[in-house]
Amino acid sequence: MSIYQKEDELDRLLVQLKGLLIKYESHSSSAQSDKYAEGLLIYEKVKCAESFYCSEIEKLQPQSKESHKTRLQDKQKLLAELKVKLDHLKTIVEANEDKKLDKLPDSAKLPYSNKLIVWGNELQDKTQDSINRIRDLTIDSEKIGADVTSELEQQNESLNRVRVTIHGVDDNIASAKQTVRTIAISICKDKCTIILVATIVLLIVAIGLCSYFFKNVRR
């Protein structure tokens, strides 16, 4: 994967995380929990993509390296802003969980440590659901990629057949040109032969006329 592909992957994940964190305050508590779980997953993927991009930057020449470093700083600034939003969303989700637990009767209330465990388990389940959705999307993307690859292979085979046909036409044209050239040479030879014969005939006639005139002059 080239450095531009890794940069595109980082940009794509940043856009995905940014879109996820739009107007999260107005969503329901359940939706906020889902968004936070998915946001955590995307954030970790962004950090991985950032690391890969940085490693590729270090391999570049100085001039290109500076250009990519400048672009990386802009992306890191955006990521820091999104992390602030993600942390704020975490605070909201924790508050929502506390409200749910506070509504329970005293017999059902748990110590704070147990609350964290329960909330962590729920968050893990939601994160797993997000992972499963991403996995399904990945599988679908792979299927689409396989279909596209198959179609490209078929198109390549068609192009190869067309190329073979064109080569055959070129060979036929070359053969036709050679035939025309041979015919032209034959015609030229025939013309030369005719001219030579005509010249010989004219010479014979001229010689005959000269002999005739010389005989008459002597008489």
Side-chain angles (χ1 to χ4, degrees), residues 98-115:
D98 288 340
K99 289 178 182 178
K100 288 181 182 178
L101 293 174
D102 289 340
K103 292 179 181 179
L104 295 175
D106 293 338
S107 59
K109 290 184 178 180
L110 299 172
Y112 182 73
S113 59
N114 290 346
K115 289 181 182 180

Side-chain angles (χ1 to χ4, degrees), residues 48-142:
C48 290
E50 178 189 6
S51 177
F52 290 143
Y53 184 38
C54 288
S55 64
E56 288 297 321
I57 290 176
E58 294 303 320
K59 301 176 184 178
L60 298 175
Q61 297 297 326
Q63 185 175 358
S64 299
K65 183 184 293 186
E66 290 304 318
S67 174
H68 279 280
K69 279 187 175 180
T70 301
R71 299 209 293 269
L72 177 60
Q73 289 173 357
D74 293 336
K75 302 177 199 304
Q76 289 173 333
K77 181 179 178 181
L78 174 60
L79 180 59
E81 295 173 356
L82 295 175
K83 183 63 167 60
V84 171
K85 289 186 177 182
L86 190 61
D87 290 340
H88 182 236
L89 178 57
K90 176 184 178 182
T91 303
I92 294 175
V93 171
E94 289 176 342
N96 291 337
E97 293 299 323
D98 288 340
K99 289 178 182 178
K100 288 181 182 178
L101 293 174
D102 289 340
K103 292 179 181 179
L104 295 175
D106 293 338
S107 59
K109 290 184 178 180
L110 299 172
Y112 182 73
S113 59
N114 290 346
K115 289 181 182 180
L116 290 179
I117 293 174
V118 172
W119 180 74
N121 290 335
E122 292 178 354
L123 182 59
Q124 183 177 0
D125 292 339
K126 291 174 181 177
T127 303
Q128 185 62 45
D129 291 339
S130 298
I131 292 173
N132 291 337
R133 287 197 298 272
I134 293 174
R135 183 189 61 191
D136 293 339
L137 290 174
T138 302
I139 293 173
D140 292 339
S141 298
E142 289 176 350

Side-chain angles (χ1 to χ4, degrees), residues 1 60 96 120 125 136-137 143 152 176 184-185 189 192 198 202:
M1 184 182 292
L60 298 175
N96 291 337
D125 292 339
D136 293 339
L137 290 174
K143 289 180 180 178
L152 288 175
I185 292 172
K189 288 181 179 179
C192 291
L202 290 174

Side-chain angles (χ1 to χ4, degrees), residues 124-209:
Q124 183 177 0
D125 292 339
K126 291 174 181 177
T127 303
Q128 185 62 45
D129 291 339
S130 298
I131 292 173
N132 291 337
R133 287 197 298 272
I134 293 174
R135 183 189 61 191
D136 293 339
L137 290 174
T138 302
I139 293 173
D140 292 339
S141 298
E142 289 176 350
K143 289 180 180 178
I144 293 173
D147 292 339
V148 171
T149 301
S150 177
E151 185 174 348
L152 288 175
E153 289 177 352
Q154 292 177 358
Q155 291 178 356
N156 188 44
E157 291 177 358
S158 298
L159 289 174
N160 287 334
R161 287 195 294 270
V162 171
R163 192 177 294 110
V164 170
T165 302
I166 291 174
H167 286 325
V169 172
D170 290 340
D171 292 340
N172 291 335
I173 292 174
S175 177
K177 286 182 178 179
Q178 183 63 35
T179 302
V180 171
R181 191 178 295 109
T182 302
I183 293 172
I185 292 172
S186 298
I187 291 173
C188 288
K189 288 181 179 179
D190 291 341
K191 286 183 178 180
C192 291
T193 302
I194 292 171
I195 292 171
L196 180 61
V197 171
T199 302
I200 293 172
V201 170
L202 290 174
L203 286 173
I204 293 172
V205 171
I207 291 171
L209 290 174

